[in-house]
Amino acid sequence: MKAALMAQQFDVDGRLVAVTPAGGGNVNDTYLAVFRTTFSEERFILQKLNLAVFPSPEAVMHNMKIITEHVHERLEAEAHMADRIWQLPRIIPTKNGQDFLIDGDGECWRAISLIASATAHEHIQNPEHAHEAGFVLGQFQRLIADVPVEMLKDTLPGFHITPGYFRQLDDALATEEGQSRLKSSATAERCYRSVEERRDWCSILEDAKEQGDLGLRPIHGDPKVANVMIDNATGRGTCIIDLDTVKPGLVHYDFGDCLRSCCNPAGEETLDLAQVVFDTDLCDAIVRGYMTFARTFLTEQDRYYQYDSILLITFELGLRFFADYIAGDKYFKIRHEGQNLNRARVQFKLCESIETRESTIRKILEKYQ
Ligand code: GN1
Ligand code: MG
């Protein structure tokens, strides 16, 4: 297997014992590699980057290096006053000292250290877990807030710029295949109506950015529940993983995505739409955790757009899944036909649930200002 060969290119002691698929990412391929010596074992994460999504792996690794080194330094400096051991993976170099390698087929591989004895849950478990997810995101944003944003490259132009995803949808709908996929089911037609209803509103954060109300900062880009590591021993958060999407952005993209993901206990893949609700008790716990840190760096203008960011990022992910379904599933990996359409349906249902709970959510946001 190629992954086993690649695992052996990285600077790790011992002999390779196993390489097994790990994690449920929608974009890259992830493996757990196990190496052993007579007296010890080293396990690490091996990944094959999806070059169709990340055409510039050196830019991705550049951002990852800047952020991990910066956070490791800050964590060390603050360790004496921390309430726990905070972690963040490090890049494991190749035997030649490179941060990644390109194989003979042009594919890109990299290795990162494993956060051991901790779990990244696919679904939120309870309000304590939700609190930890918010706490971990707030801590991460605080730790990277002093990285000059110009130092980070734009690894994914257009990422989280909602109006741009409308253009992708429109392009896909302009093809014969797109039209036939749209007309193939009542679900697709219904999703399309959900999308059209929000076309005019969807530039709300981008407009605020244009007007100078909101500014670019370093962000994580993908703080969903499955990227928050929870310590198996204590149940507390230890770090956020998956740093591929770290880049300049609005902190709102992160905040909205964290709530989108963590307040829907049914998860992104459920087939039972009746289970999809935005749980406001979980929302309360997340906001409480997040604001513990975010209170120190959010401006009044930032706070003004917090509610909108929750609805927007939920809608945006629905739009991204839907546009990809119409385009023929070219971006998000699928395991069965119609999976991206179902994923879109889940996010649109979540949007409706957010809208009906708007006043409760706004009260929660108010409470933790
Ligand atoms: C993708 O690959 P993964 O699962 O870490 C996507 C995110 C979505 C997420 C939804 C680069 O993340 O933006 O929110 O799926 N990543 C990219 O599960 O597009
Ligand atoms: Mg990701």
Side-chain angles (χ1 to χ4, degrees):
M1 181 165 88
K2 170 101 86 58
L5 261 175
M6 292 303 126
Q8 295 173 78
Q9 309 304 311
F10 291 90
D11 189 14
V12 175
D13 284 345
R15 187 187 289 189
L16 177 68
V17 182
V19 176
T20 45
N26 293 330
V27 171
N28 296 326
D29 291 344
T30 304
Y31 303 87
L32 175 69
V34 181
F35 280 68
R36 271 188 210 134
T37 66
T38 308
F39 300 110
S40 69
E41 173 169 297
E42 183 147 1
R43 298 187 297 153
F44 68 88
I45 297 295
L46 174 74
Q47 283 187 310
K48 186 175 90 179
L49 244 67
N50 182 333
L51 293 180
V53 172
F54 298 107
S56 175
E58 52 290 331
V60 171
M61 297 312 284
H62 165 92
N63 287 358
M64 192 182 280
K65 186 139 207 156
I66 288 185
I67 290 298
T68 52
E69 286 179 355
H70 178 83
V71 170
H72 291 149
E73 264 173 41
R74 283 199 67 176
L75 289 179
E76 206 173 313
E78 296 178 1
H80 63 286
M81 46 186 188
D83 67 334
R84 66 192 72 185
I85 301 286
W86 287 101
Q87 299 178 296
L88 196 68
R90 70 178 177 89
I91 300 168
I92 300 175
T94 65
K95 290 191 166 123
N96 302 329
Q98 307 297 309
D99 286 339
F100 63 94
L101 65 85
I102 304 286
D103 70 19
D105 302 321
E107 293 185 314
C108 177
W109 298 81
R110 56 120 188 265
I112 43 189
S113 62
L114 178 79
I115 304 296
S117 307
T119 306
H121 299 274
E122 284 296 325
H123 295 231
I124 209 82
Q125 313 286 302
N126 49 45
E128 291 71 39
H129 183 197
H131 172 268
E132 291 305 300
F135 200 68
V136 166
L137 177 62
Q139 164 74 318
F140 182 74
Q141 284 192 345
R142 181 187 71 84
L143 288 166
I144 64 174
D146 58 336
V147 173
V149 77
E150 315 75 55
M151 282 177 74
L152 298 177
K153 298 194 196 268
D154 190 357
T155 45
L156 277 169
F159 191 55
H160 288 315
I161 312 285
T162 314
Y165 296 110
F166 264 102
R167 279 192 291 282
Q168 290 184 11
L169 174 65
D170 293 342
D171 288 350
L173 281 172
T175 67
E176 227 169 86
E177 194 205 342
Q179 280 300 319
S180 91
R181 282 173 84 90
L182 173 64
K183 304 217 164 86
S184 67
S185 70
T187 304
E189 304 250 15
R190 231 183 352 258
C191 280
Y192 187 48
R193 281 197 296 277
S194 299
V195 161
E196 282 303 323
E197 277 167 20
R198 296 175 173 98
R199 194 184 270 267
D200 295 335
W201 158 82
C202 84
S203 60
I204 179 159
L205 288 187
E206 298 316 307
D207 292 345
K209 194 162 79 185
E210 289 290 298
Q211 289 156 20
D213 288 351
L214 302 178
L216 293 178
R217 294 184 172 115
I219 63 159
H220 179 277
D222 188 14
K224 61 181 179 180
V225 58
N227 285 338
V228 176
M229 300 302 294
I230 302 292
D231 186 326
N232 294 342
T234 63
R236 294 160 104 195
T238 72
C239 83
I240 189 158
I241 55 167
D242 185 7
L243 304 176
D244 290 329
T245 46
V246 165
K247 69 196 260 330
L250 299 179
V251 287
H252 298 73
Y253 302 154
D254 280 353
F255 179 72
D257 197 59
C258 174
L259 283 131
R260 168 199 76 70
S261 169
C262 299
C263 295
N264 166 22
E268 288 173 22
E269 302 288 351
T270 183
L271 300 174
D272 183 359
L273 269 204
Q275 300 282 329
V276 178
V277 282
F278 187 88
D279 183 319
T280 49
D281 290 337
L282 296 174
C283 173
D284 188 294
I286 296 163
V287 175
R288 181 164 55 85
Y290 176 73
M291 290 306 284
T292 309
F293 293 111
R295 205 172 278 124
T296 62
F297 58 80
L298 291 184
T299 64
E300 203 175 306
Q301 291 286 26
D302 288 331
R303 292 157 202 240
Y304 180 80
Y305 288 99
Q306 279 185 316
Y307 169 77
D308 301 294
S309 76
I310 305 171
L311 184 58
L312 184 70
I313 297 299
T314 307
F315 169 68
E316 180 194 271
L317 187 60
L319 170 61
R320 292 173 65 200
F321 284 141
F322 183 61
D324 197 35
Y325 169 75
I326 295 293
D329 305 312
K330 298 203 170 75
Y331 187 99
F332 296 104
K333 291 193 277 185
I334 55 164
R335 288 177 300 279
H336 60 83
E337 178 49 39
Q339 191 170 359
N340 277 323
L341 181 58
N342 187 64
R343 287 166 171 162
R345 221 162 60 111
V346 169
Q347 296 304 315
F348 294 141
K349 174 76 196 296
L350 200 53
C351 284
E352 289 167 19
S353 183
I354 293 168
E355 283 166 337
T356 39
R357 289 161 180 76
E358 175 172 349
S359 66
T360 312
I361 299 170
R362 285 192 185 275
K363 276 193 201 112
I364 295 169
L365 292 169
E366 193 93 335
K367 183 162 124 193
Y368 293 110
Q369 289 306 311

